[in-house]
Amino acid sequence: MTTENETGEGRAAADGATAGTSRSRRRGVVRRVTTTGAGLVGMLAVGAVAAFGSTGATLVPAAPPPADPVERVAVEPAPEVTVCPGPARLTDPETVGDAQFGPAPVGTESSLRAVVAGAGSAEIGAFDGTAARTGARALDRAPDADVTVSTVEDPGAGSVLTVRPGEGAAPRVAASVGSVTTAGDLRGLAAASCARPGISQWLVGGSTQIGSSTQLVLQNPGLTPAVVQVDVWGQGGAAVLSGGGQQLVGPGEEVVTLVEAAAPEQRRLVVHVAATGGLVSAYLQHSTLDGLVPLGVDYVVPGADPAHDLALAGVASIGEAVDDPHAPQLRLLAPGDQAGTAQVTVYGADGPVPLRGVEDVALTPGVVTDVSLGGLPAGSYAVAVHADVPVVAGASVDRRGEADPDLLHEERQYDRAWIAARALVPPAEDAPAVADDARAGQVALVPGTTSVLTLAAVPATGPAEDGDDAAGRLELRVRAYDEDGAEAGTTTVALAAGTTQTLDPSALVAEGSDATVAAVTVDVVGPRGDLEPVWSVTASAGHPSGDDGDETPSLLSVLLPVADVPAPGTVAVRASGTAGLGG
């Protein structure tokens, strides 16, 4: 019998009050109740029958029978639930500015794309006010297609993608949401891969200082209420939140709270969300203004839990100086009670790149630290962090745009992207030497944007000692799929240890074809040693800045790959004649 249930441990979210800045007056708490549908996880309950003998008032376990062989029992795979952010939204949508400096002079164009490979069925529904997710629609695969591709234009709220696996290998699932706004307070490209709900999520990014607004969005796609505990750290340590930082998120609800209402004037921000009673999804929407000039908007998505070894890819540099406020930044927090040191290594196309001042970063417990990555040559990089205490990490990248046409002086607009870090896990000693197309993740590309992959082979145990180059290489197979779900092209990328490479997925399309790439998958081919594949997709949109003939679009966001969750098709069962004792 299959039942739907949700469990979790944690603590929960902050009460909002009024605060915020921009040229418009911001409302303290925005609460939005919407829906989802069926529960998150299907669990198979296997019962064991126990025999007892009675002597007086005492129950005595019966003698165990001879050991029975283990039997492999097929288990129906549980549905896979993926939750997507809602479109970018103003902090206070009811605020109305004057005709010249309105906060939203143009509309926001949003879209959602879902991709499912493998057997099974899928449906997508929105947080629309009913826990049963009324209005959910099935995703149909085109005839002769290799994968299912579906696009939703202008989703009004967050969405839930539910995939019920069929026979055979576990399906590959990816979805993404993107919002493009070309002017106003929300100018920028806010995009993110959709993610699975959980009980603990670390959000590294954002700010609540003057000119910045950070919205915390909590989504409960299940059928039971979740109590959410929100903890916030800033440049001065842990913030004291009113009400203890707890928030109740009902089934099918999407709740939006202004972080600046509970923790104002935090130049550097890290938020932890922990849930009890149900699984939730969480993300931040961060936007920044310099007076009237927009400096970007993006989603801050969950990264790895505190770990000693972390990495991220997609840090872009145009050669900014160390003291340039728009140089890439690495953000670190050791949330425990012990001080430590983090060793930061930057990997480029030719290997590790020396960067003075970041080799060893002192970590004060509970204090959020930003490290400038200025001084790098122009290029795309991966960054690894190896610390002697558990840390969380993220990075930000700014891209310069055109001058604001509504201002008399040549004040440049910028867009900002936040990148979450993932944990580096060395392969087990008894792991097979050769991986048979081990999955390294997949990304659904945002419609209407151009995309570039940044692929890196990062040593999981840190850089080689004594300045020696890391040994080994990593081979990655990249496949591209078009909007009809057909495979559009494939290539194999060989990466030396500690190097990165960029790849335009549209280059995989056969010459003469007008196919548009909708999704990419990455697999590890052959032995990997202690090298970890770390990669991301940089999405771009909007008009180029026009500087020196540069045709790069001025809006950007970085999407992380969606990893597969192992889902065994069988469980081991042994008959037992005892109750509460292992058989």
Side-chain angles (χ1 to χ4, degrees):
M1 173 179 175
T2 301
T3 62
E4 292 184 347
N5 188 24
E6 303 162 347
T7 61
E9 291 182 322
R11 304 170 311 172
D15 296 332
T18 338
T21 55
S22 153
R23 55 177 172 266
S24 60
R25 185 172 179 175
R26 306 192 185 277
R27 180 166 299 177
V29 176
V30 183
R31 181 180 178 88
R32 179 185 192 138
V33 179
T34 45
T35 57
T36 104
L40 299 174
V41 182
M43 300 179 61
L44 183 72
V46 178
V49 179
F52 285 86
S54 176
T55 304
T58 306
L59 291 177
V60 180
D68 292 325
V70 173
E71 182 180 354
R72 308 298 298 186
V73 177
V75 177
E76 181 182 352
E80 183 171 335
V81 175
T82 304
V83 181
C84 299
R89 63 195 110 194
L90 289 169
T91 297
D92 189 347
E94 297 180 4
T95 297
V96 179
D98 59 39
Q100 186 176 3
F101 297 111
V106 300
T108 296
E109 297 181 1
S110 301
S111 59
L112 181 154
R113 175 176 280 159
V115 179
V116 180
S121 62
E123 67 176 22
I124 191 165
F127 287 86
D128 59 5
T130 62
R133 258 200 311 273
T134 57
R137 66 179 182 85
L139 307 186
D140 297 324
R141 182 169 299 183
D144 301 325
D146 299 294
V147 301
T148 301
V149 178
S150 181
T151 302
V152 178
E153 298 294 341
D154 295 324
S159 302
V160 180
L161 173 64
T162 304
V163 178
R164 294 174 176 82
E167 297 181 357
R172 304 186 76 157
V173 180
S176 64
V177 168
S179 292
V180 176
T181 312
T182 56
D185 287 11
L186 289 180
R187 179 191 177 277
L189 169 59
S193 293
C194 307
R196 301 175 183 89
I199 61 173
S200 175
Q201 299 177 67
W202 289 87
L203 306 168
V204 182
S207 169
T208 62
Q209 67 179 350
I210 297 297
S212 285
S213 178
T214 299
Q215 302 175 32
L216 170 63
V217 183
L218 303 172
Q219 300 165 308
N220 180 0
L223 297 174
T224 59
V227 178
V228 180
Q229 173 70 39
V230 175
D231 294 307
V232 176
W233 289 264
Q235 69 276 4
V240 178
L241 307 180
S242 60
Q246 286 196 344
Q247 176 79 58
L248 178 66
V249 185
E253 285 192 355
E254 182 181 81
V255 177
V256 184
T257 304
L258 290 182
V259 181
E260 56 261 34
E265 292 305 309
Q266 301 295 329
R267 298 190 309 275
R268 303 184 289 270
L269 202 64
V270 172
V271 177
H272 180 228
V273 172
T276 301
L279 305 181
V280 300
S281 290
Y283 67 93
L284 304 175
Q285 179 190 302
H286 176 228
S287 57
T288 304
L289 295 170
D290 181 7
L292 298 174
V293 181
L295 298 183
V297 61
D298 200 17
Y299 301 127
V300 180
V301 299
D305 285 345
H308 290 275
D309 304 292
L310 302 165
L312 54 89
V315 173
S317 170
I318 59 171
E320 299 95 338
V322 175
D323 58 352
D324 189 331
H326 295 289
Q329 300 283 328
L330 175 68
R331 180 163 296 183
L332 300 170
L333 168 68
D337 55 6
Q338 293 185 342
T341 302
Q343 181 183 14
V344 178
T345 305
V346 180
Y347 296 102
D350 298 322
V353 180
L355 196 61
R356 178 178 298 180
V358 305
E359 298 90 346
D360 295 301
V361 179
L363 300 171
T364 302
V367 173
V368 181
T369 301
D370 277 0
V371 180
S372 174
L373 299 179
L376 291 170
S380 187
Y381 298 89
V383 179
V385 177
H386 302 279
D388 53 10
V389 294
V391 296
V392 293
S396 64
V397 177
D398 288 1
R399 182 178 290 178
R400 181 173 172 169
E402 66 274 16
D404 192 324
D406 294 328
L407 299 180
L408 297 178
H409 53 88
E410 291 290 323
E411 192 70 30
R412 288 286 182 164
Q413 303 173 108
Y414 282 83
D415 194 18
R416 174 168 296 168
W418 287 99
I419 311 170
R422 49 152 290 188
L424 291 173
V425 182
E429 294 182 0
D430 56 352
V434 177
D436 182 15
D437 284 3
R439 298 178 177 181
Q442 49 273 346
V443 171
L445 306 184
V446 178
T449 66
T450 59
S451 300
V452 174
L453 279 67
T454 301
L455 306 163
V458 177
T461 55
E465 297 180 358
D466 301 326
D468 294 335
D469 292 335
R473 73 172 190 167
L474 188 66
E475 290 190 0
L476 302 176
R477 178 173 293 131
V478 182
R479 286 188 175 91
Y481 297 89
D482 64 22
E483 295 175 311
D484 294 326
E487 184 174 322
T490 183
T491 189
T492 299
V493 178
L495 295 168
T499 64
T500 65
Q501 185 173 329
T502 58
L503 174 67
D504 182 353
S506 65
L508 303 183
V509 178
E511 186 176 354
S513 172
D514 58 355
T516 299
V517 178
V520 292
T521 64
V522 176
D523 299 309
V524 179
V525 182
R528 54 189 284 187
D530 73 338
L531 298 178
E532 280 283 291
V534 180
W535 66 285
S536 67
V537 174
T538 299
S540 301
H543 300 290
S545 64
D547 293 343
D548 300 324
D550 184 7
E551 294 300 321
T552 303
S554 57
L555 310 181
L556 85 161
S557 190
V558 177
L559 287 78
L560 303 182
V562 179
D564 296 324
V565 174
T570 61
V571 294
V573 177
R574 176 186 289 119
S576 173
T578 62
L581 300 178

